[in-house]
Amino acid sequence: MLVVLAAALAAGGCAASFDVEDGALPASPEVDDDVDGGVRPGDCFTEEGLRFVGGATVPCDQPHVAEVYAVDVRAESMDAPWPGVETVQREASDFCNDAFGQEFGVAGQITVLDILFFRPQEATWADGDRDVACFIRLPAPTTDRLIDLDPL
């Protein structure tokens, strides 16, 4: 499924999610911060890799436009009702902005970097999708790591 950028973070803003161009809703990518198989902090993506849920990662020393810096699995049980798009969006944005601040010492709301995330969608919630993946997206390919970038 093709995903496109819905909005980007600007100074004073908040993290934004990707949305789907053709109306079909993608699942958030499976996240996994300690074993193989899912998106992990430090994973890097090309523009092409970001276009599809489950897109391939690339080594971060190769040109890339995005890097994952935090992942989360929401705590709701598998039978929990859908909490609503506003709640899921707000909580994912809060998590990603807070995680950015903890990792880099600069509040995500004031960084000049684009902070984006994948989050659960209503259509995938019943299948157990509770994953949030936070990443920065750069305007041009780079071989720099997130840790090497100036967030201000």
Side-chain angles (χ1 to χ4, degrees):
M1 286 179 258
L2 181 64
V3 291
V4 296
L5 181 63
L9 174 72
C14 60
S17 69
F18 271 85
D19 216 343
V20 176
E21 184 175 73
D22 62 5
L25 298 174
S28 52
E30 180 182 343
V31 300
D32 195 340
D33 58 4
D34 56 13
V35 295
D36 275 347
V39 175
R40 296 179 277 208
D43 283 352
C44 291
F45 293 87
T46 62
E47 187 69 41
E48 183 65 23
L50 283 179
R51 293 181 186 271
F52 296 94
V53 173
T57 62
V58 296
C60 294
D61 61 358
Q62 294 182 11
H64 59 279
V65 296
E67 183 176 341
V68 175
Y69 66 87
V71 296
D72 187 37
V73 178
R74 294 178 57 94
E76 292 91 351
S77 67
M78 294 295 266
D79 59 348
W82 169 245
V85 67
E86 294 84 10
T87 297
V88 173
Q89 182 83 7
R90 182 186 68 252
E91 290 175 356
S93 178
D94 290 348
F95 169 76
C96 291
N97 281 317
D98 290 348
F100 190 89
Q102 290 172 12
E103 185 72 25
F104 302 101
V106 175
Q109 295 90 334
I110 66 167
T111 183
V112 296
L113 300 172
D114 287 342
I115 296 178
L116 306 168
F117 56 82
F118 290 107
R119 61 164 173 80
Q121 303 285 337
E122 184 174 11
T124 60
W125 185 265
D127 296 329
D129 182 11
R130 304 292 187 273
D131 299 332
V132 174
C134 310
F135 58 98
I136 61 148
R137 186 180 184 287
L138 302 165
T142 184
T143 56
D144 290 333
R145 297 299 308 268
L146 175 58
I147 199 71
D148 298 327
L149 301 175
D150 182 1
L152 297 175

